[in-house]
Amino acid sequence: MFRRERSIPLRGSAAALCNNLSVLQLPARNLTHFGVVHGPSAQLLSAAPEGVPLAQRQLHAKEGAGVTPPLITQVHWCVLPFRVLLVLTSHRGIQMYESDGSVMVYWHALDSGDASPVQAVFARGIAASGHFICVGTWSGRVLVFDIPAKGPNIVLSEELYGHKTPVTDIATEPSQGQDCVVDMVTADDSGLLCVWRSGPEFTLLTRIPGFGVPCPSVQLWQGIIAAGYGNGQVRLYEATTGTLHIQINAHARAICALDLAPEMGKLLSAAEDTFVHIWKLSRSPESGYIEVEHCHGECVFDTQVCGARFFDPSGNSFAVTGYDLTEILRYSTV
Amino acid sequence: MSVRTLPLLFLNLGGEMLYILDQRLRAQNIPGDKARKDEWTEVDRKRVMNDIISTMFNRKFIEELLKPQELYSKKALRTVYDRLAHASIMRLNQASMDKLYDLMTMAFKYQILLCPRPRDVLLITFNHLDAIKGFIQDSPTIMHQVDETFRQLTEIYGGLSAGEFQLIRQTLLIFFQDLHIRVSIFLKDRVQNSNGRFVLPASGPVPWGTEVPGLIRMFNKKGEEVKKMEFKHGGNYSAAHKEGSLELYGDRVLKLGTNMYSVNRPVETHMSGASKNSASRTQESIAPNPLAKEELNFLARLMGGMEIKKPSGPEPGFRLNLFTTDEEEEQAALIRPEELSYEVINIQATQDQQRKEELARIMGELEITEQPRSSTSKGDDLLAMMDEL
């Protein structure tokens, strides 16, 4: 059972985007950072364990030619081996900051060269993979940036071709049994999932086709891919083979966010139907097959949820943002 | 975000505007033989509706509208509707125009929010177009214009993917972000809470293409289903029974976008008190305006295709009041909260001389040199003024 905890007020309401909440847990400093996109600006704030807001900062998308200020699509913290960077993607490009958002260390302008006039140009989908940061784009290309241990010498090292429609989300996980070689899943608007092995060069291992609906959110845990779709389904695949093992009719509207608490294998799904569900993933000890168990469902009344994250590694507490909502809602187990 | 949003935004808001005007005109309807010179008749109502609809669906205007472009500011859009509402003999005071715009925007925001699938925003648009065709049944020329627009919309939007529609829906929601005006008819029907937020029911049919939540299916390596489980979802959903039609004529199934007003349900708005985060909204009006030039270009292009019919001959403009009395209308203008004021773009403030002249010409704001004259009656004055133009 979960109960509502004290909400954290936001300066600007959350925009109706997917994956619109990023959380950075800093247990050593007894702090949690939250990041939410409002529209042309994003808000970062840090809070103490009881939810008392401590500091806040607003970031804006870098200006450019255009009629209206560029909109931000996503804000996300990337935890790398030696540093943490905050990445902000917009309709102009990719901005990277030190983790508190105080200093911009890198700017990459999107190349809209071969976009047709009817195509929206933007970056979306952010994940850390070893010492790389991967960012998706409107064309389907995934940009791989090599991040040094410190300083601004960030370099675009590779562009991955696997998708033909705009990238929605990227998930990564340190691969089992091997140091510093991580695995990655990228998802797009057509529902296609691409599974990659990272390295000095990334290799495409397998593709999992879509079925006519976008896949706005994806997670990866112990070789299990959890994908949330625009028709409310959560599907669990075996990452190495791409085989579908579990199909959950989880929500009545499009899923907008998935999150994982890696310690316990807890999966969180949030959708525009106002519900948040918590699931437990596991593997059968005999067959090795993926198993799932429904743990909890929460109705966030009259709120079109747009972001949701656990904010502790065992999945005992989670936070939610909603369209037009000027606060971050928090829930904890009793 | 999406550059294909403006047509859907404009046509749906326009549709809501027509529903409201039609309802108010009917409510103030006086039988022809009993009407005084300044009262509305059935003939007047039909004429106003015809004039506005034919202006809205004018070929050049629609062509301009359908070009891929970003959404302009709320100010710019409001200016277009001001012009559209005055495309006929009808006149609206600022307070009534404000109320009209509030109702239009909140209604469409509600429809977008409750839209089951992003693609259904097209069904909502078609519901509006179907109703518009109902208003102009006696005018085959205008009917043809609307049908033509229908065909163009199908061409542009018919082939878009679910992902592209999702981007359009997100763009529309960002446009309507932070608007929480309370509308009586919504409050009474319990689709809106007293804090201005819309009710999102956890019941009803699921969208077409979605399964009712609650089932977990497990498959083996060969893709064969090996187990089925159920979980308690918490909602009360039923299966979708039919997909709405996107043909020129067809059962849309979806009720969103159909006319919810009738003569017996008056339209009122309450001004929601200053919201806690008015900072987020006023940001738009205090931001520096280097965009003004781009927006003026947009307005010039869009309204250049509008072809407004100026009232000709001895016809004074009829004023329509969206409130129940004139006093109420005056009062509403006084108490309207600061952050909810729609500042219509001030054309005279532009630096660009050429653009200013062009826009002024299009807007019909010709300078009239006034001469003192003795007035005999209201009607004569107007006649005389017309002669001088």
Side-chain angles (χ1 to χ4, degrees):
Chain A
M1 273 301 298
F2 282 80
R3 64 150 188 262
R4 273 281 300 270
E5 301 280 11
R6 179 195 176 134
S7 303
I8 306 173
L10 285 171
R11 232 183 235 183
S13 58
L17 301 164
C18 293
N19 305 311
N20 192 4
L21 176 62
S22 181
V23 168
L24 179 68
Q25 298 165 32
L26 298 169
R29 293 170 54 194
N30 226 10
L31 275 184
T32 311
H33 286 340
F34 296 88
V36 181
V37 178
H38 167 64
S41 66
Q43 192 179 353
L44 308 179
L45 50 88
S46 55
E50 321 80 54
V52 176
L54 298 171
Q56 81 92 37
R57 174 178 261 127
Q58 280 198 321
L59 298 177
H60 291 83
K62 228 157 120 66
E63 290 283 344
V67 174
T68 44
L71 293 174
I72 299 175
T73 52
Q74 198 176 359
V75 72
H76 189 66
W77 274 282
C78 290
V79 179
L80 304 149
F82 297 106
R83 70 198 292 194
V84 177
L85 289 182
L86 176 74
V87 180
L88 190 152
T89 49
S90 74
H91 284 252
R92 294 278 170 271
I94 302 160
Q95 290 151 244
M96 299 194 191
Y97 297 80
E98 295 297 356
S99 67
D100 62 356
S102 55
V103 179
M104 192 189 318
V105 297
Y106 184 70
W107 156 248
H108 174 93
L110 283 174
D111 173 19
S112 61
D114 43 354
S116 77
V118 293
Q119 231 157 353
V121 169
F122 55 87
R124 183 177 62 186
I126 306 166
S129 175
H131 62 91
F132 295 107
I133 287 181
C134 298
V135 182
T137 64
W138 58 276
S139 62
R141 248 169 291 168
V142 175
L143 307 178
V144 182
F145 296 92
D146 196 335
I147 315 291
K150 58 181 183 199
N153 274 353
I154 294 168
V155 172
L156 174 61
S157 73
E158 205 183 346
E159 290 192 31
L160 306 178
Y161 295 85
H163 295 277
K164 293 203 172 57
T165 55
V167 172
T168 48
D169 196 16
I170 306 179
T172 56
E173 195 192 31
S175 126
Q176 316 301 300
Q178 266 185 294
D179 291 333
C180 296
V181 174
V182 303
D183 281 312
M184 180 168 87
V185 181
T186 52
D188 74 18
D189 261 353
S190 73
L192 170 71
L193 300 171
C194 288
V195 187
W196 310 82
R197 182 191 297 125
S198 73
E201 271 184 20
F202 281 65
T203 321
L204 179 63
L205 297 175
T206 188
R207 306 172 86 156
I208 303 172
F211 48 98
V213 283
C215 174
S217 207
V218 70
Q219 290 289 332
L220 183 59
W221 182 72
Q222 301 203 346
I224 303 172
I225 296 172
Y229 293 89
N231 68 345
Q233 271 184 358
V234 172
R235 292 186 172 194
L236 304 176
Y237 301 90
E238 189 62 59
T240 44
T241 58
T243 316
L244 170 67
H245 279 287
I246 301 192
Q247 182 176 301
I248 312 174
N249 294 341
H251 291 274
R253 295 280 189 281
I255 287 177
C256 61
L258 292 180
D259 197 28
L260 254 170
E263 262 175 37
M264 305 294 289
K266 290 257 183 79
L267 175 74
L268 182 161
S269 67
E272 292 176 358
D273 64 355
T274 77
F275 281 88
V276 174
H277 284 290
I278 307 216
W279 316 85
K280 187 148 186 338
L281 305 183
S282 57
R283 279 195 189 275
S284 153
E286 305 97 36
S287 59
Y289 279 174
I290 303 170
E291 293 185 329
V292 74
E293 185 194 314
H294 179 250
C295 301
H296 179 74
E298 191 73 42
C299 178
V300 188
F301 291 105
D302 300 333
T303 304
Q304 185 185 280
V305 180
C306 56
R309 295 273 179 196
F310 287 114
F311 59 89
D312 77 282
S314 33
N316 291 326
S317 53
F318 63 92
V320 172
T321 54
Y323 168 63
D324 257 358
L325 215 55
T326 48
E327 53 187 355
I328 300 175
L329 306 174
R330 298 183 325 135
Y331 298 82
S332 292
T333 12
V334 291
Chain B
M1 293 253 277
S2 170
V3 292
R4 292 199 189 106
T5 316
L6 185 61
L8 299 180
L9 181 62
F10 179 79
L11 291 172
N12 283 293
L13 285 177
E16 287 302 315
M17 182 175 87
L18 290 165
Y19 290 162
I20 297 161
L21 291 177
D22 180 66
Q23 192 266 334
R24 285 311 285 168
L25 289 168
R26 280 179 199 272
Q28 299 193 294
N29 206 8
I30 315 288
D33 51 338
K34 297 205 184 91
R36 300 196 309 267
K37 212 167 73 171
D38 56 348
E39 282 181 332
W40 291 103
T41 66
E42 173 82 3
V43 170
D44 294 324
R45 178 181 64 79
K46 280 216 163 117
R47 178 157 157 207
V48 169
M49 297 298 281
N50 274 13
D51 284 349
I52 296 179
I53 295 171
S54 82
T55 307
M56 226 172 113
F57 288 89
N58 170 277
R59 195 186 53 81
K60 256 173 53 189
F61 180 76
I62 293 286
E63 202 176 282
E64 218 25 78
L65 192 73
L66 292 177
K67 289 186 180 155
Q69 56 199 309
E70 281 178 44
L71 280 190
Y72 289 79
S73 69
K74 292 190 181 62
K75 274 192 246 176
L77 198 63
R78 161 68 195 262
T79 310
V80 179
Y81 286 109
D82 265 14
R83 192 80 189 112
L84 192 61
H86 290 94
S88 182
I89 52 173
M90 185 184 70
R91 291 286 164 271
L92 289 165
N93 282 346
Q94 176 81 342
S96 280
M97 191 65 219
D98 285 345
K99 179 171 168 178
L100 176 63
Y101 199 66
D102 286 345
L103 291 170
M104 283 158 58
T105 44
M106 286 311 285
F108 189 43
K109 178 173 182 176
Y110 169 70
Q111 289 154 17
I112 292 294
L113 202 51
L114 263 80
C115 194
R117 311 173 292 178
R119 180 182 299 278
D120 291 341
V121 72
L122 202 53
L123 281 178
I124 294 173
T125 315
F126 287 178
N127 271 335
H128 281 113
L129 292 185
D130 289 345
I132 288 172
K133 287 193 335 190
F135 290 134
I136 42 124
Q137 267 165 355
D138 315 324
S139 321
T141 335
I142 314 175
M143 185 74 94
H144 175 77
Q145 284 172 259
V146 181
D147 278 344
E148 186 50 39
T149 305
F150 222 114
R151 262 182 287 272
Q152 288 173 293
L153 288 177
T154 309
E155 209 177 282
I156 295 173
Y157 294 96
L160 289 190
S161 69
E164 285 166 306
F165 272 113
Q166 192 189 48
L167 197 63
I168 288 174
R169 181 170 179 269
Q170 286 177 343
T171 309
L172 287 168
L173 286 175
I174 288 175
F175 186 81
F176 289 121
Q177 208 166 323
D178 300 322
L179 279 173
H180 301 297
I181 299 162
R182 282 148 37 218
V183 177
S184 296
I185 200 175
F186 287 144
L187 293 170
K188 283 198 193 108
D189 287 351
R190 293 185 210 261
V191 300
Q192 192 178 28
N193 292 320
S194 54
N195 61 3
R197 311 285 167 142
F198 288 117
V199 172
L200 301 179
S203 58
V206 289
W208 187 259
T210 295
E211 309 261 355
V212 175
L215 188 64
I216 303 174
R217 296 166 71 197
M218 295 162 168
F219 305 91
N220 63 15
K221 272 189 268 225
K222 295 189 221 133
E224 297 158 350
E225 188 181 303
V226 295
K227 196 169 160 193
K228 249 192 203 147
M229 274 174 15
E230 282 193 9
F231 75 94
K232 203 164 171 329
H233 170 77
N236 186 18
Y237 296 100
S238 53
H241 60 94
K242 204 171 159 191
E243 189 176 15
S245 160
L246 290 174
E247 301 293 318
L248 188 59
Y249 296 98
D251 180 6
R252 312 287 176 211
V253 179
L254 199 61
K255 292 284 160 271
L256 294 171
T258 54
N259 196 347
M260 59 179 165
Y261 304 102
S262 70
V263 187
N264 300 320
R265 310 190 78 185
V267 285
E268 297 156 36
T269 49
H270 298 290
M271 289 299 113
S272 174
S275 96
K276 273 175 275 195
N277 281 288
S278 48
S280 58
R281 233 180 318 153
T282 52
Q283 212 129 69
E284 207 197 289
S285 52
I286 61 172
N289 218 354
L291 314 170
K293 188 160 181 226
E294 267 304 316
E295 288 193 322
L296 288 172
N297 285 343
F298 154 73
L299 287 174
R301 276 198 323 269
L302 208 59
M303 298 199 290
M306 246 180 170
E307 287 181 21
I308 304 287
K309 283 176 255 192
K310 289 181 50 128
S312 57
E315 293 178 286
F318 280 100
R319 199 168 66 73
L320 179 70
N321 188 348
L322 248 75
F323 297 83
T324 346
T325 61
D326 286 350
E327 289 73 35
E328 231 187 272
E329 191 186 42
E330 275 168 35
Q331 190 59 23
L334 293 169
I335 63 168
R336 191 174 181 86
E338 184 61 45
E339 68 265 19
L340 289 174
S341 72
Y342 296 109
E343 292 147 44
V344 178
I345 289 181
N346 183 357
I347 295 170
Q348 301 308 319
T350 177
Q351 304 290 341
D352 186 338
Q353 188 59 27
Q354 191 195 355
R355 181 56 77 202
K356 175 175 147 182
E357 279 165 5
E358 190 182 322
L359 206 56
R361 182 181 50 78
I362 290 167
M363 297 282 279
E365 288 174 12
L366 301 170
E367 302 255 2
I368 301 168
T369 47
E370 290 183 285
Q371 280 180 1
R373 56 194 304 97
S374 57
S375 58
T376 42
S377 78
K378 249 171 127 180
D380 285 2
D381 244 359
L382 279 160
L383 265 175
M385 269 174 64
M386 297 297 174
D387 288 349
E388 279 181 357
L389 285 171

